[in-house]
Amino acid sequence: MTKNRSPLLLFALLAACASTSVINESEVYSRRGNYLLAFDLLEKERQRLAAEHQEPSQEFLAAYRQAEIGFAVYQARRAIFEEHEEDALVLLDNALAVGADPAEVDRLRKRATHKLAVRATEVGNEHLVKGELEEALASFLQALSRQSDYELAHEGAEKVRAAVLMLTERAQQQFLEGVRKLPEFRYVEVQWHAMNAVTNDASREDAKELASRAQKEILEQRFARAKEMQDADMFGAAMLEYLAVRRVDPGFPGVDDAIESMKREVEAARLVGKAKVDMRMERFDEAQQGLEDALKKSEFSRAGIGELMMQCRNLRGEHAYQKARDLEILGKKAEALAAFEAIRSDFPDGLRDEAARADALRIDVDGAKTEWDAAVAAEAAGNLAEALEHYKAAERYYPGWQDGKDRIAKIEAKLSAASGGAEGTSSGKPDGRP
């Protein structure tokens, strides 16, 4: 028994050493900042372990998750460095979904939004130099929507305000400009002109009302834009828009419910992402549980989650089928029969050809049992030749089953000794396999 286990033990030790070596090599690349290669090494090792039907160690799973997080954060950081900040914000949502440090994600998100605010402010200053006050205002407002406390954007907006106030038109003209833009749905400019009118004359209640109306329209547009993002399954971006609306107007109708709904969708998306990883790692129970939890939280992604649950079920079935086939190939017919029957029970409508394989194996297993029982009975009755033929028939049905070979050898030896070594140790008709 020790000799039989030695190669398996050696193989397991070698596989463990290989995984440990890959982990160490990946950690070296991570320390050097090469997160792409660090994650790629572990991903290839994961695929190798899955192909060889080996369970990854907890150390490997921890290293894989850490490398996956490191690679996700690296992608976002690189996008920020290459001035693709909009892409970086999406990548940061992905990084947060796979388990990145929220503080680190928040720090990088602030860096990305700061760069966007800086760029918009620079564009605003260029318009301001050219005297394009409306375009400058739009750019400064865009910068402030990215970073509300960005001082240079505030200064730019104040410069626009000062430039407007220097114009010969008085508060009435500003108010009239705002009114003129209402039919064109240019509510940002309407609000701006109305605010200028109020700044020029604080007693202008009509201008205040106009500014309030414009702000309401702006918030409704932003709320509608968030709804479009929500319908496009961009739940993280939609939540940011809803939060922006609530910061301006905490009592905006429906905004609190929308934010809570998006929080649930973001959490469901995180659970779905983790379940996908579990499915790739063949942790089907964990994946199924994660998808069930996600289904309970989600309202807008239920169809997609349902499809993933079906995919997980099919992958579990394919995994079980492959294990059953391996048992069949190894000649372990009883174990293979039980495995195929389990698949048959789990998939009553059929997965592959498990029903046919189970029926064929049952014939062999039942035939072997029948012959074995007949052999045992004949041997107990002293009919060694008959027992020998039944044992041989059982061996033909199920090679290597129980201790058939040993019993055949013992009976042949007894018959040989009884006949003085003469041939013809089996006198009965061979009861061959049908």
Side-chain angles (χ1 to χ4, degrees):
M1 184 64 70
T2 303
K3 291 182 179 180
N4 291 335
R5 289 182 176 176
S6 296
L8 296 177
L9 179 60
L10 178 60
F11 179 76
L13 290 174
L14 289 174
C17 290
S19 293
T20 302
S21 176
V22 171
I23 291 171
N24 293 336
E25 188 176 358
S26 174
E27 289 175 349
V28 169
Y29 282 119
S30 293
R31 287 194 294 270
R32 293 176 180 173
N34 196 338
Y35 297 101
L36 172 60
L37 190 52
F39 178 72
D40 187 59
L41 282 172
L42 292 177
E43 174 61 17
K44 289 179 178 177
E45 177 64 6
R46 181 197 67 76
Q47 293 176 4
R48 183 188 69 80
L49 292 173
E52 296 177 3
H53 306 291
Q54 296 183 40
E55 285 293 329
S57 65
Q58 291 300 318
E59 180 185 9
F60 177 83
L61 293 177
Y64 182 90
R65 178 173 178 79
Q66 193 61 38
E68 185 180 31
I69 292 171
F71 179 57
V73 174
Y74 160 76
Q75 286 183 301
R77 189 181 291 114
R78 179 177 177 180
I80 294 173
F81 177 78
E82 294 176 350
E83 298 188 349
H84 300 307
E85 293 82 9
E86 295 287 357
D87 294 338
L89 292 174
V90 176
L91 291 169
L92 286 171
D93 288 338
N94 295 337
L96 190 62
V98 300
D101 180 14
E104 175 69 5
V105 171
D106 185 64
R107 184 181 68 81
L108 292 174
R109 183 177 283 118
K110 287 180 179 178
R111 184 191 300 176
T113 54
H114 176 71
K115 290 185 69 176
L116 288 169
V118 169
R119 190 173 298 118
T121 300
E122 291 173 350
V123 173
N125 285 327
E126 291 175 2
H127 286 302
L128 189 59
V129 170
K130 296 176 183 179
E132 300 168 349
L133 299 182
E134 292 182 1
E135 292 80 359
L137 172 61
S139 296
F140 291 133
L141 290 177
Q142 182 182 0
L144 291 173
S145 71
R146 295 294 186 180
Q147 183 177 341
S148 60
D149 60 348
Y150 187 47
E151 189 62 30
L152 293 180
H154 281 292
E155 291 176 4
E158 287 301 320
K159 289 178 182 179
V160 174
R161 186 188 299 274
V164 171
L165 291 177
M166 289 177 63
L167 300 177
T168 56
E169 296 165 66
R170 303 176 65 86
Q172 178 63 17
Q173 185 60 37
Q174 290 291 320
F175 175 75
L176 291 175
E177 284 294 325
V179 172
R180 292 187 187 111
K181 290 178 172 59
L182 269 178
E184 302 174 14
F185 308 106
R186 296 160 66 178
Y187 297 112
V188 172
E189 297 175 52
V190 171
Q191 185 182 30
W192 179 253
H193 287 300
M195 289 171 62
N196 280 332
V198 173
T199 300
N200 199 54
D201 185 356
S203 65
R204 293 293 300 262
E205 295 296 328
D206 53 354
K208 293 179 182 178
E209 182 179 349
L210 183 62
S212 177
R213 177 182 174 184
Q215 176 175 288
K216 179 182 178 182
E217 295 290 348
I218 291 170
L219 292 179
E220 288 181 353
Q221 288 180 350
R222 196 157 193 179
F223 191 88
R225 185 164 63 250
K227 183 65 169 58
E228 291 175 358
M229 294 177 178
Q230 172 183 311
D231 293 340
D233 293 342
M234 301 169 61
F235 302 121
M239 184 171 68
L240 292 177
E241 288 294 316
Y242 286 133
L243 288 170
V245 171
R246 188 170 68 177
R247 280 197 296 271
V248 176
D249 183 3
F252 192 89
V255 71
D256 288 335
D257 292 339
I259 291 172
E260 291 303 315
S261 177
M262 290 305 97
K263 286 181 179 179
R264 291 192 295 271
E265 294 297 337
V266 169
E267 174 62 14
R270 185 191 70 79
L271 291 171
V272 167
K274 181 179 181 301
K276 289 180 178 179
V277 173
D278 288 332
M279 287 166 64
R280 290 198 300 269
M281 300 296 292
E282 297 181 354
R283 299 192 296 263
F284 300 113
D285 290 338
E286 293 87 337
Q288 182 69 24
Q289 184 60 53
L291 291 172
E292 289 177 0
D293 293 341
L295 192 64
K296 293 176 183 177
K297 292 180 177 295
S298 177
E299 178 183 356
F300 303 103
S301 301
R302 297 180 65 85
I305 295 173
E307 291 177 1
L308 279 175
M309 292 177 73
M310 182 63 69
Q311 182 181 350
C312 180
R313 181 173 180 270
N314 289 335
L315 285 174
R316 183 203 297 269
E318 290 293 338
H319 183 69
Y321 179 88
Q322 188 57 54
K323 284 188 173 181
R325 283 286 292 126
D326 291 342
L327 291 170
E328 184 180 11
I329 292 169
L330 292 172
K332 299 179 179 181
K333 295 188 177 183
E335 293 88 339
L337 173 60
F340 281 124
E341 286 291 2
I343 297 172
R344 199 174 187 177
S345 175
D346 292 339
F347 293 86
D349 295 332
L351 178 68
R352 293 175 65 174
D353 60 346
E354 67 279 354
R357 291 189 177 277
D359 291 341
L361 287 168
R362 185 179 294 104
I363 291 172
D364 288 349
V365 172
D366 290 347
K369 288 180 178 178
T370 300
E371 293 295 337
W372 186 273
D373 292 341
V376 171
E379 186 176 6
N383 298 326
L384 296 184
E386 181 182 348
L388 177 61
E389 292 306 318
H390 284 300
Y391 278 130
K392 287 182 177 180
E395 184 67 17
R396 285 193 293 272
Y397 274 112
Y398 195 157
W401 188 51
Q402 301 197 48
D403 60 341
K405 290 183 178 180
D406 292 339
R407 296 199 181 198
I408 290 171
K410 290 178 181 179
I411 292 176
E412 285 179 339
K414 289 180 180 180
L415 291 174
S416 178
S419 62
E423 294 183 5
T425 56
S426 57
S427 59
K429 289 185 179 181
D431 188 9
R433 177 177 174 182

